Amino acid sequence: MKNRILTLVAFGLVIVNVHAQQTASLQAKEQKAPKLGKDPVAQVIAAMTDDEKASLLMGTGMPGYDGITPTPGVNEGRIPGAASLTYEIKRLGIPAIVLADGPAGLRISPTRKNDKNTYYCTAFPVGTALASTWNLPLIENVGKAMGQEVKEYGVDVLLAPALNIHRNPLCGRNFEYYSEDPLISGKTAAAIVNGIESNGVGTSVKHFAANNQESNRLGVNANVSERAMREIYLRGFEHVIKEAQPWTVMSSYNLVDGTYTSARKDLLTDILRDEWGFKGLVMTDWFGGFSGLESLKTSTSDVAAQLSAGNDLLMPGIPAQKKAILDNMKSGKLPREVVDKNIKRILEIVLESPTMKAYKFSDKPNLKANAQVTRDAAAEGMILLKNDEKTLPFSKKDKRVAVFGVTSYNFISGGTGSGNVNEAYTVSLLDGLANNGFKIDDELKSKYVPYTQKFDAEEVARKEKEGVLFLANRLPELDLERDLINKKAAESEIAIITIGRNAGEGADRKVANDFDLADDEQKLINSVSSAFHKLNKKVVVILNIGGVIETASWKDRVDAILLAWQPGQEGGNSVADVFSGKVNPSGKLTMTWPANYSDTPSAKNFPGIPADNPKNVNYEEGVYVGYRYFNTFNVKPSFEFGFGKSYTTFEYSGIKLSDKSFKDKITVSVTVKNTGKIAGKEVVQVYLSAPTKSIDKPKSELKAFGKTKSLKPGESQTVALTISAKDLASFLESENAWIADAGTYTVSIGASSLDIKQSATFQLASDLAVEKTHPAFKLTAPLNELKASK
């Protein structure tokens, strides 16, 4: 607070100087000289010329890029590799602040011209991995480590976190996002924001909202009902705004019900600010409001609509937008009071920034300590999907391990695009196992390493050419001779097969050879499993992936499956920690894994029409996204939402409710006991089933969760969680309100959404209008929305 006051005083002193040296350049005919008063920010705004205001409402372009293509020789800005800067107005003491990606850690250039120093950042686990921990204090600690690097490398705002809903498993950026469920998404994002911003730097919560695909992401229109928007696609954002109050929010590329999100007043002002109480600024995504990158050269976004809707900052900014702002200000289409309000929000963020406070950043964050943070977080986010006959943990370090699969030797730390990080190293699975003392088969290594190294070199060269929208190719599996595999089965104690997937910004995934395994991968699993099982030896599959893949067709052929996600730069060490039993896996799925892609409720409406370049996508599944669909309509998944095994076992008992009748809130408690022989953690999931008097509803919905401490064998812990009035309510469009129906509510506590351990009921005596809202999201086309029977 003291620093903020001093900074405001500094702004005041600047105004005194400006006032004393007023010139014709201040457009005296249009603007009166400012009067000194108690609000220096208002005085700075009053002292600004129209040209300065127009400049401050945009970024300064995308440093080092012409559009989104790397351009050698172009100035890369104050921090090379950063995404953009705000505009500097020296005469008023307004500095440029630096904004940089991204969700898995800071993304800046690791090397600089004529500079022998390096500027590597930590690659933390991707969003799906972090959310899978269900451990909010741990996630906040990851945020603290991220924020420390942001601050010490001279960046003011990190363009993260990203919390769009996993509407469909093929979305190319699902690895950045957390879940199909808004509670998990919002709570995870709030923890990350609180951690990052504890360093005195900002975040940008994105992409607001309904940005659930990459196909034609700049121009696709999402036809979605208000109920689905509020219950599914906005609810996570509401959690993070109310629980963390981030510095900034980033509007998304897409249109919703016919209007760009960056130009929707109902979204950016009525809901975000008036209903939720957001205090910060809203910026566009990079080139948000343009129908496509090709349109940058021939048109501009509707700047008047964007700024008037409450989108304060246009990023990264192009000259045509500045001209449009000035023209609209002159014509009156863009009122000055709107512009001044936008400017005020920008200046308030500038005031809070390390740059404004002249923070002397070191360029030396604690990368060693942060490597341990990412190693621990990645291990806790790993999910044991299968473990027949206690295949894992494997601790026979005197026995040889046969390591198959190209990804074992070329481990994937994270996805591509703005979610990528330039880390100093990635620990491969091979190195992680070796670091933990395991004996690795050298003959397999001699075949795989040259093959993967050649491919990796080709990918690096292609990435340098294609820039931020580089998309990784899949490396086909080596066609190993059957005799070699049989030999390895005889010589080794256990086999590991790693299956890898990578995706990222700019394109969605495909079903063939991506969601579904490729033929070469199926062949590898068949061949290795057949050879090892003939000798009564085990096969473990490790999934080094960012999003969901098909498992139903092959999971019965292997003995154990460990979902490692894309676990950051220490990934190989983290996998080895779990594989060896040093860490007991405690992760749980935050999304449903369908048996077949076609079982996904949005499959017939993804990515939209026409499929090759969709202009419209209909959200016909409504609120029935993920487990809300699978569990309500009794569609059996391969692995359900909330699922995850452990090396130990847990018993649930003694469910209690604080009251049998609901008033303002109700607390549910349950005791969890470790009944196994190994210490471990358990995630307690609270699901609520509501009466369906007013509207159809999912069978049950996640309303609270908590994670136990590490429980020793025989140790118990009682976990208490609270359900609020809004948790009871559904959104009724006809009432513009969240309404809870009178009747009986069932609270179910589970180890997953299908594995329910304890249940209890309470009563709501009469219908409860929990919250009135502004009208929003009027449909512009008919929507045949899925309904469950009441």
Side-chain angles (χ1 to χ4, degrees):
M1 185 65 180
K2 182 179 179 182
N3 286 338
R4 181 179 173 85
I5 292 171
L6 290 173
T7 309
L8 285 168
V9 170
F11 258 165
L13 292 175
V14 169
I15 288 297
V16 171
N17 181 55
V18 171
H19 184 63
Q21 301 179 31
Q22 201 87 37
T23 65
S25 66
L26 288 180
Q27 300 175 344
K29 290 183 180 180
E30 295 183 22
Q31 300 178 358
K32 296 179 180 179
K35 294 181 180 180
L36 296 180
K38 295 182 179 180
D39 188 351
V41 172
Q43 295 174 59
V44 169
I45 295 171
M48 292 172 68
T49 66
D50 285 354
D51 189 83
E52 288 168 337
K53 289 181 178 180
S55 297
L56 194 60
L57 291 172
M58 327 184 315
T60 57
M62 198 168 178
Y65 289 82
D66 174 15
I68 57 171
T69 305
T71 307
V74 173
N75 177 28
E76 287 200 297
R78 193 163 77 220
I79 308 295
S84 193
L85 297 90
T86 60
Y87 189 74
E88 179 183 22
I89 306 177
K90 288 184 178 180
R91 72 180 190 89
L92 295 179
I94 302 172
I97 64 171
V98 181
L99 300 85
D101 295 314
L106 181 64
R107 187 170 70 92
I108 58 175
S109 298
T111 58
R112 298 175 185 177
K113 190 175 182 180
N114 301 320
D115 186 344
K116 64 180 181 180
N117 297 309
T118 58
Y119 302 86
Y120 290 108
C121 301
T122 301
F124 294 93
V126 297
T128 46
L130 286 178
S132 295
T133 68
W134 298 60
N135 186 333
L136 299 181
L138 177 147
I139 294 167
E140 183 169 345
N141 194 48
V142 171
K144 288 178 181 177
M146 280 188 190
Q148 189 248 357
E149 295 190 14
V150 171
K151 190 170 187 178
E152 291 307 322
Y153 275 135
V155 172
D156 298 286
V157 176
L158 184 70
L159 301 173
L163 65 147
N164 294 103
I165 292 294
H166 289 203
R167 175 178 178 253
N168 186 286
L170 299 186
C171 175
R173 295 181 79 174
N174 274 353
F175 73 94
E176 295 183 46
Y177 309 148
Y178 301 127
S179 177
E180 67 190 23
D181 182 81
L183 180 68
I184 287 283
S185 299
K187 293 285 187 180
T188 302
I192 282 282
V193 168
N194 284 326
I196 294 169
E197 294 195 352
S198 68
N199 291 273
V201 295
T203 58
S204 191
V205 174
K206 62 186 187 183
H207 309 89
F208 193 58
N211 188 157
N212 306 113
Q213 63 188 70
E214 290 298 288
S215 300
N216 191 26
R217 59 181 181 161
L218 274 77
V220 71
N221 174 49
N223 295 314
V224 54
S225 70
E226 183 175 5
R227 181 190 180 193
M229 281 294 290
R230 287 186 178 272
E231 290 191 18
I232 304 296
Y233 300 102
L234 299 185
R235 193 77 168 100
F237 286 96
E238 180 180 0
H239 282 295
V240 70
I241 297 302
K242 291 181 175 179
E243 296 173 26
Q245 197 58 244
W247 284 20
T248 80
V249 167
M250 183 187 293
S251 58
S252 58
Y253 283 129
N254 54 287
L255 299 86
V256 170
D257 297 328
T259 303
Y260 278 109
T261 61
S262 60
R264 290 202 72 109
K265 180 178 177 293
D266 56 1
L267 180 65
L268 304 183
T269 297
D270 297 347
I271 294 173
L272 180 63
R273 291 190 165 98
D274 296 344
E275 293 181 17
W276 299 350
F278 178 60
K279 304 298 182 187
L281 76 81
V282 176
M283 70 178 77
T284 63
D285 202 341
W286 267 228
F287 309 109
F290 289 87
S291 60
L293 295 177
E294 67 282 352
S295 68
L296 291 172
K297 297 178 181 179
T298 59
S299 63
T300 184
S301 62
D302 189 344
V303 297
Q306 290 172 304
L307 295 168
S308 296
N311 199 114
D312 308 296
L313 182 61
L314 308 176
M315 296 303 292
I318 65 171
Q321 286 176 306
K322 179 177 178 179
K323 182 179 184 303
I325 291 170
L326 289 170
D327 289 346
N328 280 285
M329 288 175 68
K330 187 175 181 180
S331 70
K333 185 178 180 181
L334 181 57
R336 292 188 178 278
E337 56 267 25
V338 168
V339 169
D340 290 352
K341 187 179 291 186
N342 300 138
I343 294 288
K344 182 175 186 291
R345 292 174 184 143
I346 295 169
L347 290 179
E348 285 173 345
I349 297 302
V350 172
L351 278 171
E352 296 289 349
S353 68
T355 294
M356 187 72 205
K357 296 172 182 177
Y359 178 73
K360 295 185 190 281
F361 56 91
S362 66
D363 279 331
K364 297 191 179 299
N366 195 339
L367 297 179
K368 184 176 181 180
N370 293 347
Q372 189 64 48
V373 170
T374 189
R375 178 173 179 169
D376 293 345
E380 183 141 345
M382 291 182 186
I383 302 173
L384 188 62
L385 294 176
K386 182 177 181 179
N387 196 30
D388 286 357
E389 299 179 359
K390 297 183 179 180
T391 298
L392 296 177
F394 181 81
S395 57
K396 299 176 182 178
K397 296 187 178 181
D398 60 328
K399 302 293 185 179
R400 185 173 298 174
V401 178
V403 181
F404 296 90
V406 292
T407 311
S408 296
Y409 300 82
N410 192 21
F411 219 57
I412 303 167
S413 63
T416 62
S418 59
N420 183 36
V421 178
N422 295 312
E423 68 269 35
Y425 63 87
T426 295
V427 178
S428 72
L429 174 63
L430 199 72
D431 291 337
L433 292 170
N435 292 342
N436 274 263
F438 288 100
K439 291 177 63 176
I440 308 301
D441 185 272
D442 287 331
E443 187 175 7
L444 285 175
K445 182 179 178 180
S446 69
K447 291 186 175 295
Y448 275 107
V449 169
Y451 181 63
T452 56
Q453 286 181 341
K454 179 177 182 293
F455 172 79
D456 198 41
E458 293 170 351
E459 288 289 273
V460 168
R462 191 166 62 84
K463 182 178 179 181
E464 290 178 356
K465 180 179 179 181
E466 295 180 11
V468 70
L469 294 188
F470 159 85
L471 292 168
N473 289 325
R474 187 186 74 86
L475 176 61
E477 290 295 340
L478 277 174
D479 188 10
L480 300 174
E481 295 179 359
R482 184 173 295 276
D483 288 346
L484 176 63
I485 296 174
N486 290 336
K487 179 185 176 186
K488 295 304 115 182
E491 296 174 347
S492 308
E493 183 70 15
I494 194 169
I496 292 175
I497 303 170
T498 304
I499 300 296
R501 288 291 184 272
N502 210 348
E505 187 172 7
D508 291 314
R509 298 169 58 201
K510 306 297 182 184
V511 175
N513 301 325
D514 191 345
F515 179 83
D516 291 345
L517 295 197
D519 289 343
D520 54 275
E521 293 169 320
Q522 292 275 14
K523 180 181 177 182
L524 179 66
I525 290 173
N526 289 341
S527 299
V528 172
S529 296
S530 176
F532 276 73
H533 288 165
K534 283 178 182 177
L535 299 177
N536 294 316
K537 295 179 180 180
K538 305 296 186 184
V539 177
V540 178
V541 169
I542 294 172
L543 299 179
N544 178 204
I545 59 183
V548 177
I549 65 169
E550 186 273 328
T551 56
S553 69
W554 57 267
K555 65 182 181 181
D556 291 340
R557 296 182 230 145
V558 300
D559 304 287
I561 304 172
L562 179 63
L563 174 55
W565 296 117
Q566 291 168 349
Q569 68 184 51
E570 287 284 327
N573 286 331
S574 301
V575 172
D577 288 343
V578 175
F579 180 80
S580 66
K582 180 180 178 181
V583 173
N584 188 348
S586 62
K588 301 274 189 174
L589 291 176
T590 64
M591 73 295 290
T592 305
W593 283 45
N596 299 287
Y597 172 71
S598 59
D599 291 340
T600 303
S602 61
K604 67 177 183 178
N605 288 303
F606 186 92
I609 300 171
D612 60 340
N613 187 32
K615 300 296 189 291
N616 288 281
V617 56
N618 294 322
Y619 284 42
E620 291 184 352
E621 69 279 3
V623 299
Y624 297 98
V625 176
Y627 74 91
R628 287 170 167 82
Y629 169 77
F630 284 86
N631 296 0
T632 302
F633 293 91
N634 297 313
V635 179
K636 185 179 180 181
S638 184
F639 297 107
E640 74 268 20
F641 177 89
F643 178 81
K645 300 175 77 68
S646 172
Y647 294 154
T648 190
T649 55
F650 298 96
E651 178 184 271
Y652 290 67
S653 63
I655 186 171
K656 292 180 182 178
L657 300 180
S658 58
D659 205 323
K660 288 293 184 181
S661 297
F662 187 87
K663 297 179 178 59
D664 295 325
K665 60 183 178 180
I666 201 162
T667 300
V668 55
S669 62
V670 71
T671 299
V672 179
K673 181 179 180 180
N674 183 345
T675 55
K677 298 180 180 180
I678 301 174
K681 302 175 183 178
E682 174 71 329
V683 176
V684 177
Q685 304 165 41
V686 178
Y687 295 89
L688 187 69
S689 300
T692 56
K693 184 181 72 171
S694 62
I695 197 170
D696 65 299
K697 297 172 185 176
K699 181 179 179 180
S700 65
E701 297 180 283
L702 183 74
K703 296 301 180 182
F705 63 89
K707 194 166 192 175
T708 69
K709 66 179 183 179
S710 181
L711 298 175
K712 298 175 184 177
E715 186 178 8
S716 299
Q717 180 181 346
T718 298
V719 177
L721 298 163
T722 301
I723 296 173
S724 70
K726 195 164 184 178
D727 292 327
L728 276 58
S730 296
F731 186 78
L732 269 62
E733 296 177 12
S734 60
E735 302 293 330
N736 282 326
W738 290 83
I739 304 292
D741 288 338
T744 301
Y745 288 75
T746 301
V747 178
S748 299
I749 294 182
S752 77
S753 60
L754 294 179
D755 186 10
I756 301 303
K757 303 295 188 180
Q758 297 258 286
S759 296
T761 61
F762 65 85
Q763 300 294 317
L764 180 64
S766 58
D767 293 351
L768 179 63
V770 177
E771 181 182 310
K772 290 289 289 183
T773 64
H774 296 79
F777 308 116
K778 183 178 180 181
L779 288 172
T780 55
L783 189 65
N784 184 23
E785 210 171 31
L786 179 65
K787 304 290 183 185
S789 58
K790 291 171 61 175

